[in-house]
Amino acid sequence: MPAAVKLENVVKRYGALEVLKGVSFDIQPGEVVALIGASGSGKSTALRCINRLERIQQGRIEVCGREVSDEAIDLRALRQEVGMVFQSYNLFPHMTVGQNVMLALRRVKKIARPEAAEIARRVLTQVGLGEKYDSYPEQLSGGQQQRVAIARSLAMQPRVMLFDEVTSALDPKLTGEVLRVMEDLARGGMTMVVVTHEMAFARRAANRVIFMHQGNVHESGDASILSDPATPELRDFLEHDL
Ligand code: ADP
Ligand code: MG
């Protein structure tokens, strides 16, 4: 089976600024990887390169055996395979929760309304929000809105999900409910790359932790590296940056 995600010596520059300096890692199907590191270390850029929101200058990225850097790649198909959830959930305020979740199913996948509605109910139930189907986003808490955003992504049946600091805008009370949904997904076998500052979550849910430092993978391993870092940079990050 090919890796779900494979980066080989990926170099990403913005002008003269080299943001990814030869990043390599593999994520196997069903694996949950926590991507950690200080602000500016290149975590978001790495995620954005995986679903080709950004182009790379050197190296190679594959998703489920397909080369992302190939100019001829079908971006629409790629983005159906790779779901992404951000810190800001960007739900449409004038649409109900159900309509928000159904939108891409209808527009992108061309699924008929009754079937799309059924899928929306199923994924909303999966994130614990089945009863909010007819609510509007403003009637929900931030944590609930973020769970809707996760459901919207799940509805497309991605093979890989990328999460970029999805709880950073939430107060601690609401963070837990979002992390629990992500842990359920992880237990259900979803392949996930999770950029997070929640080290307790990384310990519980991640099969592997990748620590980025100044555009490189500086240290990686199982969650035990969080208790016993090998490099002074990871030690320093864990002591000071969280
Ligand atoms: P992280 O997510 O780890 O905080 P980022 O991947 O967002 O880091 O950013 C890595 C570096 O790339 C930072 O120095 C940031 O300022 C720079 N950067 C990110 N996006 C852009 C952009 N669109 N143009 C120029 N520089 C960028
Ligand atoms: Mg970031």
Side-chain angles (χ1 to χ4, degrees):
M1 195 153 40
V5 177
K6 186 180 180 69
L7 275 70
E8 268 177 24
N9 296 312
V10 170
V11 174
K12 169 70 193 171
R13 292 185 206 99
Y14 292 108
L17 181 66
E18 197 161 80
V19 174
L20 301 178
K21 301 175 182 169
V23 168
S24 301
F25 56 78
D26 280 12
I27 296 163
Q28 301 307 316
E31 231 186 344
V32 176
V33 170
L35 192 55
I36 65 171
S39 175
S41 59
K43 306 177 300 293
S44 295
T45 302
L47 292 193
R48 293 168 57 79
C49 289
I50 292 171
N51 72 351
R52 254 282 292 272
L53 291 171
E54 302 286 352
R55 284 164 190 270
I56 61 176
Q57 274 70 47
Q58 279 175 53
R60 201 179 145 81
I61 300 179
E62 279 180 23
V63 171
C64 304
R66 291 201 293 158
E67 190 176 345
V68 171
S69 32
D70 183 346
E71 284 304 310
I73 193 173
D74 179 346
L75 283 180
R76 179 177 274 218
L78 173 71
R79 297 203 184 125
Q80 285 184 37
E81 283 183 348
V82 183
M84 186 153 179
V85 186
F86 303 87
Q87 183 175 324
S88 58
Y89 10 92
N90 294 326
L91 302 176
F92 288 107
H94 60 289
M95 291 183 182
T96 66
V97 163
Q99 287 167 337
N100 267 283
V101 174
M102 265 196 281
L103 190 64
L105 290 171
R106 304 268 295 128
R107 297 247 178 102
V108 180
K109 284 200 166 179
K110 312 288 182 202
I111 292 177
R113 182 175 293 279
E115 193 192 337
E118 199 181 302
I119 294 169
R121 285 196 190 278
R122 179 167 46 79
V123 293
L124 283 166
T125 303
Q126 194 179 343
V127 302
L129 293 173
E131 79 287 3
K132 299 295 184 190
Y133 186 88
D134 290 314
S135 301
Y136 284 87
E138 64 174 18
Q139 298 172 302
L140 306 186
S141 72
Q144 290 172 328
Q145 291 188 49
Q146 188 58 288
R147 283 149 65 197
V148 173
I150 293 172
R152 175 177 60 184
S153 190
L154 276 176
M156 300 297 278
Q157 293 191 288
R159 294 167 72 169
V160 178
M161 286 186 76
L162 311 176
F163 294 88
D164 195 356
E165 301 201 29
V166 295
T167 59
S168 295
L170 301 174
D171 59 54
K173 208 160 56 83
L174 301 176
T175 296
E177 66 185 51
V178 175
L179 294 178
R180 275 192 292 282
V181 164
M182 291 166 66
E183 284 182 63
D184 282 349
L185 278 179
R187 271 193 297 274
M190 178 62 78
T191 307
M192 297 166 51
V193 187
V194 185
V195 172
T196 185
H197 293 285
E198 300 286 341
M199 293 304 129
F201 169 82
R203 282 198 177 83
R204 284 195 305 272
N207 308 106
R208 200 141 51 90
V209 176
I210 295 176
F211 169 60
M212 289 191 61
H213 179 67
Q214 297 179 355
N216 289 299
V217 173
H218 197 73
E219 187 170 343
S220 68
D222 65 28
S224 70
I225 70 170
L226 298 174
S227 314
D228 190 16
T231 62
E233 290 78 10
L234 177 53
R235 187 180 313 273
D236 199 52
F237 169 74
L238 292 169
E239 280 174 12
H240 301 294
D241 280 0
L242 294 175

